[in-house]
């Protein structure tokens, strides 16, 4: 029986049912929402974010009915409950635009600590609306030094340090702790923390994170990165304890091969600020100050990046980060205020993590040691599970390759001791991995373990550590050695992207050498999601630029010699432009434009009548140099002038993108003046004059467009002669090698480029593979199975520069390249050649995944292509004749989605496609 008490609830249920029915109907008529929502350089729901003026990006879904975007709407609010109807921070309203990436936030100013929520919807090509996306969020870190109430704290380890193997002061790792009490239940808690050094932090006995050696490596006298952790679940009402370990790291350890580089190091310190909001709305703040206590009498006795870590289990302090620990014998810390001299900013790329673990594959038993082979050159630390006797010391050494006679080889580590020690406190199996160091190695040698035990493979594993990025592309072919080369490129990237792009990960350098970085940047962008990594390091490059516009050899600049090098300093123009062209994000150009201009001005100041006299490492490690010099035979002046012109041209292109037409004209004119001077000084009728002619001299002239049109053909002929003189082998070093494939491709010498790529003998990419390489080497002949290591002291087996060939492999063998910045228009143009019978690649572009896969069977080419939504693709299909073209097993016919734009042009059929998956086949003979 209905009454006034039952009618109202029934009416409410009826209203809810009608609303749900309406929503259900709406969902059926609305398009699927967007995918992969990110802000700025690809961050997903970040905590402790650095940018109060972010950009927004998304990918359109791969579904029927979605070809492109005609409009979008973004809503931003301070609470998810306000979305999408009542955004209080920003409502873009419906914007008629196909842009789905890098859209600037134009709402109310955002502040430190602020948590922000956002959603987006789009309209497709038919003006049909999508559903709103799931709510996304980001939370800002502490953006200003004034936000920090904490103080830098630590012990004076410089005064009480020990002397290292290179007469360097070794700062004892410190253990710092603070107990605190909270009267109410915790709603949220954020830990803002950083160090002058590297740290690990725990609360109430629980690790706060699995970060490796945070906060990372920046120009410490200019900027130190801070990190934000959500520690809500680690803190409770009542008594709590926070404990922090801090070691020297890059800040206070020795860096470089000369004492002058690291003789004046500051004692490591931490800075942390724990901010807690209670459920009753009250707040509490626990800061680092002089009330903390500390000791350096903990188990980690020594920890240095180059020299390794020593751990004494006798000094372990169980539960030292909990309430149940007595620190009465610990010392009071020294405290120092935060000043404006060093900028504190949230970290703008991902921390280093242990990304994977490798198993030992083989054990080599020696009389006094055992060698464990992981069969992959890697970077990180050993994970040990080893039986020991009380009081014994386990010695752990590392090597990239054994000598041919099987002996352990470490000479190429130079002064880096790269040795860990573990001192056992009791009999039994120890489980340990170092915390504040890293090594480059394939082999691990153990000595000092329980001699009564037979070594087994599970004693040693390898924790592979690098900055926490994901893979961004894949590449595979029918050729085993080419696949190994791709694998070596990827492992070289993993091994040298340890918070900054390093030259090598094992010897007494591990620095951000700028020349290595500029040649490898584009290849890295294909293999890994490293935009944020590069953007962060480019900030360090800007901060390291000299007052005269010069760019140091290494960034961060630990050499402090004021010197520059052409081809190395040009990283400041090349990397921003290459990143822009692969992402379409104008902000990377905006951030670096002033630096680019200052560097070009430095080029000009280092030249006379546009001819450079800048110092140069030149075509570093060119094989068979006539002069016997690591810098090779190519004229330093020619190289400097070429890069002067190239940087001027890239700066002109940047000015054009940024809408600075007058400056664009100025730099374009400068480029033309330098190019003219270059040709007059170094060439006559397309042939090098008055200096040693090298492959690289011609490659620079052709790649940077420095030869007049009438002389280009002869310059090409001269280049081919130099290659022929070398028995169709390369004679290029760091600067020439990345240009080799580009120039030979553009001049139509594809067969020759394939020959160079697939050469088996020295110097070639496959030579190192034939010698057992699992990473890219520093030298073309760093090691041989018969003769062992190259005797030169500078000889890394993990050095990514020559991996720059990867760019050509992806863009021309597989055939995926941008025709418009950010892959808004994609070029699919594979060039199948013997000995390959198939190749395929995928790439995550800002608009979604693009794929290209080809295979040749019975003189028929099968090509499958995937084009993501909101883009178009120009596909070049190799063919013996245009009449044989089929699509989806049918004779090719034009349609709304596929348009024939040319036929039989150099045995290439070109089609223009909308998004979708396409399967082509043509007659084609290798």
């Amino acid at each position: 029986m209905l009454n006034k008490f039952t009618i109202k609830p029934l009416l409410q249920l009826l209203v809810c049912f009608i609303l749900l029915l309406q929503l259900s109907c709406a969902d059926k008529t609305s398009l699927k929402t967007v995918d992969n929502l990110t802000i700025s350089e690809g961050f997903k729901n970040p905590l402790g974010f650095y940018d109060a003026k972010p950009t927004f990006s998304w990918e359109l879904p791969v579904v029927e009915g979605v070809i492109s975007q005609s409009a979008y709407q973004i809503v931003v609010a301070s609470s998810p409950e306000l979305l999408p109807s009542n955004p209080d921070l920003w409502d873009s309203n419906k914007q008629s635009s196909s842009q789905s990436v890098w859209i600037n936030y134009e709402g109310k100013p955002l502040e430190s600590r602020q948590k922000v929520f956002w959603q987006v919807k789009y309209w497709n090509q038919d003006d049909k609306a999508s559903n709103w996306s799931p709510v996304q969020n980001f939370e800002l870190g502490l953006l200003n030094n004034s936000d920090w109430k904490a103080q830098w704290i630590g012990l004076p380890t410089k005064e009480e340090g020990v002397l290292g193997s290179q007469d360097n002061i070794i700062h004892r790792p410190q253990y710092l702790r603070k107990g605190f009490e909270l009267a109410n239940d915790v709603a949220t808690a954020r830990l803002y923390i950083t160090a002058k050094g590297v740290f690990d932090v725990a609360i109430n006995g629980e690790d706060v994170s699995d970060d490796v050696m945070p906060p990372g490596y920046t120009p410490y006298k200019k900027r130190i990165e801070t990190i934000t952790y959500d520690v809500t679940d680690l803190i409770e009402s009542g008594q709590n304890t926070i404990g922090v370990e801090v070691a020297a790291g890059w800040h206070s350890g020795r860096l470089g091969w000369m004492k002058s580089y690291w003789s004046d190091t500051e004692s490591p310190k931490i800075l942390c600020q724990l901010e807690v909001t209670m459920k009753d709305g009250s707040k509490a703040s626990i800061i680092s100050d002089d009330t903390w206590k500390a000791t350096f009498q903990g188990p980690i006795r020594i920890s240095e990046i180059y020299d390794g870590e020593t751990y004494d289990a006798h000094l372990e302090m169980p539960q030292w980060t909990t309430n149940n620990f007595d620190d009465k014998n610990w010392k009071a810390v020294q405290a120092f205020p935060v000043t404006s001299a060093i900028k504190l900013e949230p970290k703008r790329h991902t921390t280093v993590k242990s990304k994977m673990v490798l198993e030992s594959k083989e054990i080599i038993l020696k009389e006094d040691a055992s060698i464990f082979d992981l069969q992959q050159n890697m970077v990180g630390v050993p994970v040990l599970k080893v039986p020991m006797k009380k009081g014994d010391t386990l010695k752990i050494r590392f090597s990239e390759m054994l000598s041919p006679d099987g002996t352990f080889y470490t000479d190429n580590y130079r002064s880096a001791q790269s040795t860990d020690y573990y001192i056992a406190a009791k009999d039994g199996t120890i489980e340990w991995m170092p915390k504040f160091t890293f090594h480059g190695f394939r082999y691990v040698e153990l000595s000092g373990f329980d001699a009564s035990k037979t070594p087994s493979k599970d004693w040693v594993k390898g924790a592979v550590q690098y900055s926490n990025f994901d893979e961004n592309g894949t590449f595979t072919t029918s050729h085993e050695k080419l696949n190994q080369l791709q694998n070596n490129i990827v492992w070289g990237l993993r091994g040298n992207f340890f918070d900054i792009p390093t030259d090598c990960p094992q010897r007494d350098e591990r620095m951000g050498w700028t020349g290595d970085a500029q040649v490898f940047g584009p290849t890295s962008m294909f293999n890994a999601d490293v935009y944020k990594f590069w953007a962060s390091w480019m900030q360090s490059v800007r901060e390291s630029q000299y007052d005269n516009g010069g760019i140091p050899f290494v960034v961060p600049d630990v050499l402090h010699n004021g010197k520059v090098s052409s081809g190395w300093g040009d990283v400041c123009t090349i990397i921003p432009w290459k990143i822009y062209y692969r992402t379409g994000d104008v902000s990377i150009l905006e951030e670096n434009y002033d630096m680019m201009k200052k560097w070009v001005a430095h080029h000009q100041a280092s030249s006379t009548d546009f001819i450079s006299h800048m110092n140069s490492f030149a075509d570093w490690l060119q094989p068979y140099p006539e002069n016997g010099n690591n810098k090779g035979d190519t004229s330093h002046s020619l190289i400097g002038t070429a890069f002067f012109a190239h940087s001027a041209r890239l700066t002109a292109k940047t000015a054009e993108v940024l809408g600075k037409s007058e400056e664009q004209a100025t730099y374009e004119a400068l480029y033309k003046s330098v190019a003219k001077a270059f040709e007059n000084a170094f060439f006559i009728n397309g042939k090098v004059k008055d200096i040693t002619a090298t492959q690289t001299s011609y490659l620079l002239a052709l790649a940077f467009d420095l030869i007049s049109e009438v002389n280009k053909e002869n310059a090409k002929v001269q280049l081919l002669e130099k290659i022929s003189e070398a028995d169709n082998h390369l004679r290029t070093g760091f600067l020439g090698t990345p240009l080799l494939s580009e120039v030979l491709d553009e001049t139509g010498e594809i067969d020759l480029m394939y020959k160079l790529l697939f050469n088996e003998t020295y110097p070639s990419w496959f030579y190192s593979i034939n010698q057992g390489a699992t990473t890219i080497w520093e030298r073309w002949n760093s090691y041989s199975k018969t003769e062992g290591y190259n005797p030169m002291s500078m000889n890394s087996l993990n050095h990514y520069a020559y991996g720059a060939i990867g760019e050509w492999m992806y863009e021309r063998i597989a055939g995926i390249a941008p025709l418009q910045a950010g892959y808004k228009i994609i070029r699919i143009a594979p060039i199948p050649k013997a000995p390959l019978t198939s190749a395929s690649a995928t790439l995550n572009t800002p608009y979604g995944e693009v794929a290209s896969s080809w295979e040749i069977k019975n003189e028929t080419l099968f090509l499958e292509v995937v084009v993501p939504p909101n883009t178009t693709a120009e596909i070049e299909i190799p063919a013996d004749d245009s009449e044989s073209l089929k699509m989806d097993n049918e004779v090719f016919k034009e349609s709304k989605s596929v348009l024939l734009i040319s036929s039989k042009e150099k045995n290439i059929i070109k089609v223009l496609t909308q998004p979708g998956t396409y399967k082509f086949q043509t007659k084609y003979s290798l």
Side-chain angles (χ1 to χ4, degrees), residues 358-359 361-362 372-377 442-443 774:
L358 301 184
E359 306 281 339
K361 303 295 186 182
E362 182 183 359
F372 296 76
D373 182 3
L374 278 67
Q375 297 186 358
Q376 173 61 57
N377 198 11
R442 168 178 167 172
Y443 296 91
T774 60

Side-chain angles (χ1 to χ4, degrees), residues 820-832:
Q820 183 177 310
Y823 296 89
K824 183 66 173 174
I825 303 177
I826 304 164
R827 182 193 190 199
I828 305 291
I831 43 174

Side-chain angles (χ1 to χ4, degrees), residues 291-502:
T291 65
W292 286 53
K293 300 184 76 174
T295 184
F296 41 67
Q297 297 302 320
I300 304 179
R301 307 307 299 141
I302 291 173
S303 195
E304 289 279 312
I305 288 175
Y306 290 167
D307 298 327
E309 188 163 293
T310 298
Y311 188 93
D312 188 344
H314 295 93
L315 299 176
E316 288 180 342
M317 303 175 292
Q319 298 186 315
W320 75 272
T321 61
T322 71
N323 304 325
N324 303 316
F325 183 81
D326 185 359
D327 61 10
K328 65 182 180 181
N329 294 323
W330 287 29
K331 298 180 179 181
V333 299
Q334 295 179 342
F336 305 87
V338 170
T339 69
S340 60
I342 300 172
K343 177 65 177 172
L344 300 173
E345 292 184 355
K347 191 173 185 69
R348 65 176 297 179
H349 74 106
T350 50
T351 54
V352 175
K353 301 275 191 182
S354 292
K355 297 286 290 182
M356 64 184 78
V357 176
L358 301 184
E359 306 281 339
S360 290
K361 303 295 186 182
E362 182 183 359
I363 302 176
I364 304 169
L365 298 177
K366 299 291 185 179
E367 183 175 346
D368 56 352
S370 292
I371 299 172
F372 296 76
D373 182 3
L374 278 67
Q375 297 186 358
Q376 173 61 57
N377 198 11
M378 55 156 283
V379 174
V381 293
V383 181
L384 303 175
K385 189 176 180 180
V386 180
M388 292 189 67
K389 291 289 189 179
K390 180 180 179 179
D392 286 352
T393 298
L394 182 70
K395 184 177 182 180
I396 309 111
R397 295 201 303 155
F398 305 90
S399 179
E400 293 187 295
M401 199 78 85
L402 303 181
S403 295
D405 63 1
T407 56
F408 211 69
Y409 186 93
T410 60
D411 286 359
N412 68 321
Y413 290 7
R414 300 194 308 207
S415 71
Q417 299 299 302
S418 195
T419 304
D420 298 328
Y421 298 90
Y422 185 98
I423 303 168
K426 58 184 179 181
D427 292 347
T429 298
I430 64 104
E431 296 187 19
W432 179 68
M433 60 185 287
K435 181 175 288 189
F436 295 126
T437 189
F438 63 93
H439 307 281
F441 62 98
R442 168 178 167 172
Y443 296 91
V444 179
E445 180 194 76
L446 298 185
S447 59
F449 52 85
D450 185 346
S452 69
K453 306 296 183 182
T454 302
S456 63
K457 294 176 184 177
D458 63 353
W459 284 17
V460 177
K461 298 178 181 179
V464 180
Q465 298 173 332
Y466 53 92
S467 290
N468 188 26
F469 47 73
D470 295 325
E471 292 184 357
N472 200 52
T474 62
F475 175 84
T476 188
T477 72
S478 57
H479 197 282
E480 182 179 356
K481 289 183 182 178
L482 190 60
N483 293 341
Q484 183 63 51
L485 175 58
Q486 164 64 9
N487 194 60
N488 291 2
I489 290 170
V490 170
W491 277 98
L493 186 157
R494 291 170 177 163
N496 285 288
F497 276 41
F498 200 100
D499 204 69
I500 65 164
T502 61

